[in-house]
Amino acid sequence: MKVDVIIPTYQPGKRLFRLLDSLEKQSMPLESIIIMNTGREYLERLITGTGFEERYPNVKIYHLEKGEFDHGATRHKGVQYSESEIFMVMTQDAMPVDCCLVERLTGALKPDIAVAYARQLPGKDSSEFEKISRAFNYPEESRIKTAADLGRLGIKTFFCSNVCAAYRRDVYEESGGFIRHTIFNEDMIYAAGAIKAGYGIAYVADAKVIHSHNYTNVMQLRRNFDLGVSQANHPEIFQKVTSEAEGKKLVKEAWNYFKQNKCPWRFPGFCLQCGFKYTGYLLGKHYKALPRTLILGITTNKEYWT
């Protein structure tokens, strides 16, 4: 079985070498690693004089301008450069925990499974708030999600993350692949379509990557604005399964965490961060009523609007 990995990059640092080294040491060998790089000068500056081509002979680099980047279209273009029956999508800041990531993730792609995504663990420097969020979204137990789970899981049924996910090529081609123009959420939009087509989504808890961000409250607002926009633009998917219920569950879980760890005074700060998230989400959901200058001031993806 041939497997490729597709990694969009933008101004990558030396951590990229660590990621590539880790992928090269996987128990299941990769056919190729396809880098969809935005901004040629940044990557070329990083790899010049490192013997990159000799060190990573199976890495293929394709450059695009910043204005060309799109979360869905760029990844789809990377898929077109792949000829393998399974491809993985990762981000440049995800780091495999061990050498079994590819084997475990691709092993979950049974005939009735369209995509399998990995568990994301917080880094050593992650804030307490980030650790709670990671534990909430990426629990210890694996799970297969299908249309039968919509009543119980709601929007979590469609949850999937291209931080690290493996896709069956035949199902991808059959469905038309990632949406070509989207501000965000191309992974969940794809997963929702796959579930509606009768396939399952696998969460593989023992396929692990380190991936987390210590976003400020303002950064959380901006990120969740883009999330709200993506949901507003796809009512056929998100109208009947909103995110609000999951937000309430997260707040409840956070309270239990702080109470059990005898630091309840930290809970108000967590609630404040959730308030910024929800404000951004609501603004995004109603972006059509906002002036363009405000939209461009909030979004993290100005290229989408131009």
Side-chain angles (χ1 to χ4, degrees):
M1 178 173 57
K2 294 181 179 180
V3 182
D4 291 334
V5 176
I6 298 161
I7 309 173
T9 60
Y10 176 61
Q11 297 188 16
K14 292 182 179 179
R15 184 183 173 90
L16 178 64
F17 297 124
R18 286 182 53 206
L19 171 57
L20 295 177
D21 289 339
S22 181
L23 291 175
E24 294 281 9
K25 295 174 183 175
Q26 290 293 302
S27 58
M28 175 175 285
L30 297 171
E31 186 72 11
S32 62
I33 299 171
I34 298 166
I35 293 179
M36 300 298 294
N37 178 65
T38 301
R40 177 188 293 266
E41 65 276 15
Y42 301 111
L43 183 58
E44 288 189 345
R45 189 182 307 143
L46 175 69
I47 68 176
T48 297
T50 63
F52 189 88
E53 292 182 0
E54 293 76 21
R55 184 173 173 183
Y56 307 109
N58 66 335
V59 173
K60 303 173 183 177
I61 301 175
Y62 300 93
H63 296 285
L64 57 150
E65 298 300 320
K66 190 173 182 183
E68 296 178 87
F69 177 82
D70 180 272
H71 283 283
T74 298
R75 288 174 170 86
H76 177 73
K77 198 170 184 179
V79 175
Q80 304 315 298
Y81 291 129
S82 166
E83 297 180 355
S84 295
E85 55 262 48
I86 291 177
F87 64 88
M88 284 176 55
V89 178
M90 295 185 70
T91 55
Q92 68 186 46
D93 57 351
M95 189 64 61
V97 167
D98 55 37
C99 65
C100 299
L101 173 69
V102 175
E103 180 180 355
R104 289 169 179 163
L105 207 55
T106 58
L109 292 176
K110 308 303 182 186
D112 58 343
I113 302 297
V115 53
Y117 67 101
R119 183 182 182 190
Q120 296 180 33
L121 300 175
K124 293 180 180 179
D125 60 345
S126 294
S127 68
E128 210 71 20
F129 297 170
E130 182 71 355
K131 290 176 181 177
I132 293 169
S133 295
R134 282 286 174 268
F136 179 75
N137 288 317
Y138 302 95
E140 295 180 356
E141 305 81 23
S142 297
R143 148 190 296 170
I144 304 294
K145 299 177 291 186
T146 68
D149 294 306
L150 279 167
R152 181 170 58 91
L153 297 179
I155 198 169
K156 269 287 180 68
T157 310
F158 301 147
F159 185 73
C160 180
S161 176
N162 271 346
V163 163
C164 185
Y167 293 81
R168 279 178 50 194
R169 179 64 172 263
D170 57 344
V171 178
Y172 184 87
E173 298 290 355
E174 170 190 307
S175 68
F178 296 129
I179 185 171
R180 305 299 191 272
H181 184 54
T182 181
I183 189 171
F184 193 55
N185 239 11
E186 81 292 336
D187 38 20
M188 281 187 69
I189 294 168
Y190 179 88
I195 281 179
K196 289 183 177 181
Y199 292 100
I201 306 300
Y203 166 60
V204 189
D206 61 350
K208 305 171 189 175
V209 294
I210 302 294
H211 179 262
S212 56
H213 296 283
N214 291 326
Y215 290 130
T216 65
N217 288 339
V218 172
M219 291 165 70
Q220 294 282 13
L221 184 148
R222 298 181 67 200
R223 180 175 173 81
N224 278 269
F225 173 82
D226 291 349
L227 173 64
V229 170
S230 74
Q231 292 195 12
N233 286 339
H234 294 278
E236 76 282 1
I237 296 173
F238 298 106
Q239 198 167 45
K240 295 181 181 179
V241 284
T242 61
S243 297
E244 283 86 341
E246 286 303 306
K248 292 176 183 176
K249 290 178 186 177
L250 174 59
V251 170
K252 184 176 180 181
E253 191 158 308
W255 168 245
N256 290 332
Y257 173 89
F258 290 125
K259 190 168 60 172
Q260 289 171 8
N261 286 274
K262 299 180 180 180
C263 53
W265 60 86
R266 304 201 63 188
F267 183 63
F270 183 84
C271 289
L272 178 63
Q273 185 181 90
C274 289
F276 273 83
K277 286 183 178 181
Y278 190 53
T279 298
Y281 172 74
L282 286 180
L283 287 170
K285 288 277 281 188
H286 300 92
Y287 79 92
K288 293 178 182 178
L290 302 178
R292 184 174 176 81
T293 51
L294 181 58
I295 290 172
L296 293 176
I298 299 175
T299 183
T300 65
N301 189 353
K302 289 183 172 62
E303 287 71 29
Y304 172 81
W305 303 95
T306 56

